[in-house]
Amino acid sequence: MKSKIILLCAIAYTSTIGFTMGQSSSTPPKVSPMLMEPEMTEVWEPEVAIVTPAKVLGDAPSDAIILFDGKNLDQWVSQKDPSKPAPWKIINKDHLEVAPGSGGIQTKMKFGDCQLHIEFSAPDLVEGASQGRGNSGVFFQNRYELQVLDSYNNRSYRNGQAGSIYKDHAPLVNAMRSPTEWNTYDVIYTAVRYKEDGRVDYPARITVLHNGVLVQNNVTISGLTDYIGLHNYPEAHGDDVISLQDHNNKTQFRNIWIRKL
Ligand code: MG
Protein backbone atom coordinates (compact mmCIF):
# COMPACT_ATOMS: atom_id res chain seq x y z
CA MET A 1 0.00 0.00 0.00
CA LYS A 2 2.74 2.34 0.98
CA SER A 3 4.68 1.65 -2.23
CA LYS A 4 1.51 2.29 -4.33
CA ILE A 5 1.09 5.70 -2.73
CA ILE A 6 4.71 6.58 -3.42
CA LEU A 7 4.32 5.48 -7.06
CA LEU A 8 1.14 7.54 -7.52
CA CYS A 9 2.82 10.56 -5.99
CA ALA A 10 5.81 10.10 -8.34
CA ILE A 11 3.51 9.86 -11.41
CA ALA A 12 1.56 12.93 -10.29
CA TYR A 13 4.77 14.90 -9.71
CA THR A 14 6.20 13.92 -13.11
CA SER A 15 2.94 14.86 -14.84
CA THR A 16 2.90 18.23 -13.14
CA ILE A 17 6.48 18.97 -14.20
CA GLY A 18 5.71 17.95 -17.77
CA PHE A 19 2.55 20.02 -17.86
CA THR A 20 4.29 23.02 -16.36
CA MET A 21 7.23 22.77 -18.78
CA GLY A 22 4.89 22.36 -21.71
CA GLN A 23 2.89 25.34 -20.62
CA SER A 24 5.91 27.59 -20.12
CA SER A 25 7.33 26.91 -23.58
CA SER A 26 4.10 27.55 -25.48
CA THR A 27 2.00 29.91 -23.38
CA PRO A 28 3.55 32.97 -21.79
CA PRO A 29 2.42 33.55 -18.23
CA LYS A 30 -0.31 36.10 -17.92
CA VAL A 31 0.97 39.41 -16.55
CA SER A 32 -1.49 41.99 -15.43
CA PRO A 33 -0.66 45.33 -17.13
CA MET A 34 0.29 48.12 -14.74
CA LEU A 35 -2.40 50.72 -14.63
CA MET A 36 -0.87 53.93 -16.05
CA GLU A 37 -1.99 57.49 -15.54
CA PRO A 38 -0.87 60.41 -17.78
CA GLU A 39 1.10 61.97 -14.90
CA MET A 40 3.24 58.85 -14.48
CA THR A 41 5.27 59.71 -17.60
CA GLU A 42 5.63 63.44 -16.89
CA VAL A 43 9.00 64.67 -15.59
CA TRP A 44 8.84 68.01 -13.76
CA GLU A 45 12.11 68.31 -11.88
CA PRO A 46 14.54 69.87 -12.24
CA GLU A 47 12.95 72.65 -14.24
CA VAL A 48 14.63 73.26 -17.61
CA ALA A 49 16.94 76.29 -17.45
CA ILE A 50 15.57 79.40 -19.10
CA VAL A 51 17.69 81.03 -21.81
CA THR A 52 16.61 84.27 -23.43
CA PRO A 53 17.18 84.03 -27.15
CA ALA A 54 18.56 86.98 -29.09
CA LYS A 55 16.15 89.33 -30.84
CA VAL A 56 18.01 88.70 -34.07
CA LEU A 57 18.67 85.12 -35.10
CA GLY A 58 22.43 84.59 -35.06
CA ASP A 59 23.09 86.96 -32.18
CA ALA A 60 24.12 85.57 -28.81
CA PRO A 61 21.52 84.15 -26.43
CA SER A 62 21.65 85.10 -22.75
CA ASP A 63 23.90 82.22 -21.61
CA ALA A 64 26.53 82.55 -24.35
CA ILE A 65 30.14 83.52 -23.75
CA ILE A 66 30.94 86.40 -26.08
CA LEU A 67 34.26 85.69 -27.75
CA PHE A 68 34.23 88.69 -30.08
CA ASP A 69 31.67 91.43 -30.61
CA GLY A 70 33.81 94.04 -32.35
CA LYS A 71 34.99 95.83 -29.22
CA ASN A 72 38.22 94.09 -28.28
CA LEU A 73 40.21 90.87 -28.39
CA ASP A 74 40.26 90.35 -24.63
CA GLN A 75 39.13 86.75 -25.01
CA TRP A 76 42.01 85.92 -27.37
CA VAL A 77 45.79 85.60 -27.34
CA SER A 78 48.54 84.99 -29.85
CA GLN A 79 48.99 81.37 -30.86
CA LYS A 80 52.72 81.83 -31.37
CA ASP A 81 53.09 83.16 -27.83
CA PRO A 82 49.98 82.77 -25.67
CA SER A 83 51.44 85.22 -23.14
CA LYS A 84 50.96 87.98 -25.76
CA PRO A 85 47.80 89.68 -27.04
CA ALA A 86 46.14 88.48 -30.22
CA PRO A 87 47.90 90.26 -33.11
CA TRP A 88 44.99 90.55 -35.54
CA LYS A 89 43.30 93.83 -36.48
CA ILE A 90 39.90 95.11 -35.38
CA ILE A 91 38.37 97.16 -38.17
CA ASN A 92 35.69 99.83 -37.64
CA LYS A 93 34.90 98.35 -34.21
CA ASP A 94 32.97 95.79 -36.18
CA HIS A 95 35.06 92.92 -37.39
CA LEU A 96 38.39 91.22 -37.11
CA GLU A 97 40.91 90.68 -39.89
CA VAL A 98 43.76 88.20 -40.06
CA ALA A 99 47.14 89.94 -40.00
CA PRO A 100 49.01 87.69 -42.45
CA GLY A 101 52.23 86.32 -41.05
CA SER A 102 51.36 87.15 -37.45
CA GLY A 103 50.19 83.61 -36.66
CA GLY A 104 46.88 82.31 -35.50
CA ILE A 105 44.91 83.42 -32.47
CA GLN A 106 43.37 81.29 -29.76
CA THR A 107 40.88 81.71 -26.97
CA LYS A 108 42.06 82.15 -23.41
CA MET A 109 39.35 79.76 -22.25
CA LYS A 110 39.30 76.06 -22.97
CA PHE A 111 36.28 74.24 -24.33
CA GLY A 112 35.03 70.71 -24.92
CA ASP A 113 31.44 70.12 -25.99
CA CYS A 114 30.08 73.40 -27.30
CA GLN A 115 27.80 75.34 -29.59
CA LEU A 116 29.74 77.92 -31.58
CA HIS A 117 28.52 80.75 -33.77
CA ILE A 118 31.06 82.53 -35.94
CA GLU A 119 30.74 84.77 -38.97
CA PHE A 120 33.38 85.15 -41.64
CA SER A 121 33.98 86.86 -44.94
CA ALA A 122 36.58 86.18 -47.60
CA PRO A 123 38.87 89.08 -48.52
CA ASP A 124 37.07 91.55 -50.81
CA LEU A 125 40.05 91.52 -53.15
CA VAL A 126 39.73 88.20 -54.92
CA GLU A 127 43.18 86.79 -55.53
CA GLY A 128 44.76 83.39 -55.45
CA ALA A 129 43.01 80.13 -56.24
CA SER A 130 41.99 76.89 -54.62
CA GLN A 131 43.50 76.76 -51.10
CA GLY A 132 45.19 80.13 -51.63
CA ARG A 133 41.96 82.13 -51.60
CA GLY A 134 40.45 83.28 -48.33
CA ASN A 135 41.90 80.41 -46.35
CA SER A 136 41.61 80.25 -42.59
CA GLY A 137 40.04 77.74 -40.21
CA VAL A 138 38.34 77.18 -36.90
CA PHE A 139 40.10 74.57 -34.78
CA PHE A 140 38.10 72.83 -32.06
CA GLN A 141 40.14 71.70 -29.07
CA ASN A 142 43.00 73.38 -30.95
CA ARG A 143 43.27 70.33 -33.23
CA TYR A 144 40.26 69.61 -35.45
CA GLU A 145 39.71 72.05 -38.28
CA LEU A 146 36.46 73.29 -39.70
CA GLN A 147 37.79 74.83 -42.88
CA VAL A 148 37.29 78.48 -43.76
CA LEU A 149 37.92 79.19 -47.43
CA ASP A 150 36.56 81.39 -50.20
CA SER A 151 34.64 78.65 -51.97
CA TYR A 152 32.63 81.09 -54.07
CA ASN A 153 33.52 80.34 -57.71
CA ASN A 154 36.71 78.69 -56.48
CA ARG A 155 37.21 74.96 -57.00
CA SER A 156 39.47 73.07 -54.68
CA TYR A 157 39.54 69.53 -53.39
CA ARG A 158 36.07 68.80 -52.01
CA ASN A 159 37.27 67.78 -48.56
CA GLY A 160 39.19 71.05 -48.27
CA GLN A 161 36.57 73.63 -49.27
CA ALA A 162 34.49 75.85 -46.98
CA GLY A 163 32.37 73.78 -44.63
CA SER A 164 34.65 70.78 -44.80
CA ILE A 165 36.29 69.11 -41.86
CA TYR A 166 39.65 69.59 -43.46
CA LYS A 167 40.80 66.51 -45.39
CA ASP A 168 38.24 64.45 -43.47
CA HIS A 169 34.68 65.26 -44.57
CA ALA A 170 33.53 67.28 -47.60
CA PRO A 171 30.53 69.51 -46.93
CA LEU A 172 27.15 68.17 -48.08
CA VAL A 173 26.71 71.24 -50.30
CA ASN A 174 28.51 74.48 -51.14
CA ALA A 175 26.54 77.28 -49.41
CA MET A 176 29.24 79.95 -49.78
CA ARG A 177 28.36 83.61 -50.26
CA SER A 178 30.42 86.05 -52.32
CA PRO A 179 33.49 87.78 -50.81
CA THR A 180 31.54 91.01 -50.27
CA GLU A 181 29.05 89.22 -48.03
CA TRP A 182 29.19 87.59 -44.61
CA ASN A 183 28.85 83.89 -43.94
CA THR A 184 27.77 82.16 -40.75
CA TYR A 185 28.83 78.89 -39.23
CA ASP A 186 26.66 77.41 -36.51
CA VAL A 187 28.39 74.42 -35.01
CA ILE A 188 27.48 71.71 -32.53
CA TYR A 189 30.70 70.05 -31.42
CA THR A 190 31.03 66.95 -29.26
CA ALA A 191 34.53 66.46 -27.92
CA VAL A 192 36.55 63.26 -28.19
CA ARG A 193 36.40 60.98 -25.12
CA TYR A 194 39.28 58.83 -23.94
CA LYS A 195 39.38 55.72 -21.81
CA GLU A 196 41.53 55.66 -18.69
CA ASP A 197 44.32 53.90 -20.58
CA GLY A 198 44.46 56.75 -23.10
CA ARG A 199 42.75 55.00 -26.01
CA VAL A 200 39.86 56.73 -27.75
CA ASP A 201 36.55 55.82 -26.15
CA TYR A 202 34.60 57.64 -28.82
CA PRO A 203 35.85 60.19 -31.32
CA ALA A 204 34.76 63.80 -31.71
CA ARG A 205 31.60 64.57 -33.68
CA ILE A 206 30.45 67.73 -35.40
CA THR A 207 27.36 69.25 -36.97
CA VAL A 208 27.75 72.42 -39.03
CA LEU A 209 25.27 74.78 -40.64
CA HIS A 210 26.76 77.14 -43.20
CA ASN A 211 24.47 80.14 -43.72
CA GLY A 212 21.70 78.04 -42.19
CA VAL A 213 22.30 75.14 -44.56
CA LEU A 214 23.35 71.80 -43.09
CA VAL A 215 26.81 70.92 -44.40
CA GLN A 216 28.03 68.44 -41.74
CA ASN A 217 25.46 66.13 -40.16
CA ASN A 218 26.90 64.83 -36.90
CA VAL A 219 29.94 63.36 -38.65
CA THR A 220 32.70 61.54 -36.83
CA ILE A 221 35.99 63.42 -36.86
CA SER A 222 38.77 61.01 -37.81
CA GLY A 223 41.41 62.75 -35.73
CA LEU A 224 43.99 65.49 -35.62
CA THR A 225 43.89 67.69 -38.73
CA ASP A 226 47.10 66.78 -40.52
CA TYR A 227 47.99 68.35 -43.87
CA ILE A 228 49.84 65.20 -44.91
CA GLY A 229 48.69 61.70 -44.07
CA LEU A 230 45.62 60.02 -42.66
CA HIS A 231 44.10 61.57 -39.57
CA ASN A 232 44.14 59.84 -36.19
CA TYR A 233 44.15 60.59 -32.47
CA PRO A 234 47.83 60.44 -31.45
CA GLU A 235 47.45 61.38 -27.79
CA ALA A 236 44.77 61.80 -25.15
CA HIS A 237 43.81 65.35 -24.22
CA GLY A 238 41.08 67.25 -22.44
CA ASP A 239 39.29 70.51 -23.13
CA ASP A 240 41.39 72.95 -25.10
CA VAL A 241 41.34 76.35 -26.74
CA ILE A 242 39.54 77.23 -29.95
CA SER A 243 41.93 78.66 -32.48
CA LEU A 244 41.61 80.60 -35.72
CA GLN A 245 44.15 80.04 -38.45
CA ASP A 246 46.45 82.54 -40.13
CA HIS A 247 46.83 81.14 -43.64
CA ASN A 248 48.26 84.37 -45.08
CA ASN A 249 44.90 85.62 -46.31
CA LYS A 250 43.03 88.63 -44.94
CA THR A 251 39.97 86.66 -43.93
CA GLN A 252 37.54 88.54 -41.70
CA PHE A 253 35.54 87.42 -38.67
CA ARG A 254 32.79 88.90 -36.53
CA ASN A 255 30.07 88.00 -34.02
CA ILE A 256 31.74 85.04 -32.34
CA TRP A 257 29.98 83.45 -29.38
CA ILE A 258 29.97 80.08 -27.72
CA ARG A 259 27.86 78.04 -25.33
CA LYS A 260 29.37 75.27 -23.25
CA LEU A 261 27.30 72.10 -23.50
MG1 MG B 1 42.42 76.42 -43.31
Side-chain angles (χ1 to χ4, degrees), residues 193-231:
R193 260 66 165 180
Y194 292 93
K195 297 175 181 173
E196 281 192 4
D197 64 5
R199 288 181 299 157
V200 173
D201 193 0
Y202 59 90
R205 302 188 71 84
I206 193 165
T207 295
V208 182
L209 290 99
H210 182 185
N211 296 323
V213 180
L214 185 68
V215 292
Q216 298 292 347
N217 186 8
N218 194 30
V219 296
T220 300
I221 295 178
S222 300
L224 182 68
T225 300
D226 282 323
Y227 179 51
I228 299 171
L230 298 175
H231 298 181

Side-chain angles (χ1 to χ4, degrees), residues 131 135-137 139 145 147-148 166 245 247:
Q131 293 290 306
N135 195 334
S136 182
F139 286 74
E145 184 184 14
Q147 174 69 311
V148 171
Y166 186 72
Q245 184 184 46
H247 205 285

Side-chain angles (χ1 to χ4, degrees), residues 67-118:
L67 293 178
F68 179 70
D69 62 2
K71 294 191 181 88
N72 58 61
L73 278 168
D74 289 355
Q75 293 289 333
W76 301 81
V77 292
S78 161
Q79 199 165 35
K80 281 183 180 172
D81 183 352
S83 70
K84 294 193 172 147
W88 293 4
K89 284 193 292 187
I90 296 174
I91 295 174
N92 298 332
K93 292 184 180 174
D94 173 68
H95 62 269
L96 183 62
E97 188 176 274
V98 177
S102 68
I105 65 172
Q106 65 186 49
T107 56
K108 289 178 180 172
M109 293 177 71
K110 293 182 176 182
F111 301 94
D113 297 353
C114 62
Q115 174 186 353
L116 178 77
H117 175 92
I118 186 165

Side-chain angles (χ1 to χ4, degrees), residues 109-203:
M109 293 177 71
K110 293 182 176 182
F111 301 94
D113 297 353
C114 62
Q115 174 186 353
L116 178 77
H117 175 92
I118 186 165
E119 300 182 15
F120 65 98
S121 178
D124 292 354
L125 179 63
V126 177
E127 55 183 358
S130 186
Q131 293 290 306
R133 188 185 298 181
N135 195 334
S136 182
V138 183
F139 286 74
F140 291 85
Q141 293 189 285
N142 207 23
R143 292 167 176 81
Y144 314 109
E145 184 184 14
L146 166 59
Q147 174 69 311
V148 171
L149 193 76
D150 181 2
S151 289
Y152 186 80
N153 292 330
N154 179 35
R155 277 303 307 274
S156 188
Y157 39 92
R158 58 184 275 116
N159 59 350
Q161 69 182 66
S164 68
I165 306 307
Y166 186 72
K167 287 193 169 178
D168 192 3
H169 296 283
L172 294 169
V173 292
N174 180 352
M176 190 76 193
R177 290 188 177 130
S178 80
T180 57
E181 298 173 285
W182 285 91
N183 293 266
T184 60
Y185 277 157
D186 285 284
V187 182
I188 314 297
Y189 176 76
T190 304
V192 53
R193 260 66 165 180
Y194 292 93
K195 297 175 181 173
E196 281 192 4
D197 64 5
R199 288 181 299 157
V200 173
D201 193 0
Y202 59 90

